[in-house]
Amino acid sequence: MSANDTQSVVTQVIQSLVEAWNRRDSTRFANLFRADAHYIDGDGRWLKGRRAIAGLCGGAGETVCVVGEPSIRVYGDVAIATFHWEGVANKSIGGIITCVIIKNSTGRSIVTLQNTDFK
């Protein structure tokens, strides 16, 4: 797979992440992560494992979108993606997410994600 193909797949993972969040689909959201993934949310909570990560999505308030193009750097089977997000209705909320996405037997999975909210 070329670097451009990998970037396309990683972009799809990001789009799926945002779509699952906006639909409050905690199962789909969590399944984008490895079972042993880590997620640090905008409040600094460190969630470990898919089950804990799934719990984030159910209480989500704002519908969000990705602003601009994500920065995607590919290193073999590992990709690091950084992107800016903001609220659709409330543009005063937003943040920057950096996640590490690895290749696996079924495609790509997020192994770690950190969200830094803008306050």
Side-chain angles (χ1 to χ4, degrees):
M1 182 177 282
S2 73
N4 285 341
D5 291 339
T6 300
Q7 287 188 344
S8 178
V9 170
V10 170
T11 299
Q12 181 57 47
V13 170
I14 294 167
Q15 291 170 342
S16 296
L17 184 75
V18 171
E19 289 169 7
W21 177 268
N22 288 340
R23 290 188 178 125
R24 311 306 185 248
D25 185 341
S26 58
T27 301
R28 184 170 179 221
F29 185 80
N31 284 337
L32 293 167
F33 292 82
R34 277 181 47 112
D36 62 347
H38 289 194
Y39 188 119
I40 301 169
D41 73 6
D43 293 326
R45 290 183 298 167
W46 188 356
L47 305 168
K48 298 176 183 176
R50 195 179 282 150
R51 179 177 288 173
I53 292 167
L56 280 173
C57 198
E62 180 70 30
T63 301
V64 300
C65 64
V66 174
V67 178
E69 291 294 318
S71 167
I72 300 170
R73 295 168 289 152
V74 179
Y75 305 98
D77 289 344
V78 176
I80 300 170
T82 304
F83 59 96
H84 174 202
W85 65 271
E86 69 181 16
V88 172
N90 182 359
K91 301 230 185 274
S92 68
I93 68 163
I96 297 174
I97 289 178
T98 299
C99 53
V100 177
I101 302 169
I102 62 166
K103 184 178 181 181
N104 59 34
S105 61
T106 60
R108 296 261 171 187
S109 295
I110 301 168
V111 292
T112 193
L113 182 151
Q114 179 163 357
N115 176 36
T116 303
D117 286 344
F118 295 149
K119 301 288 179 182

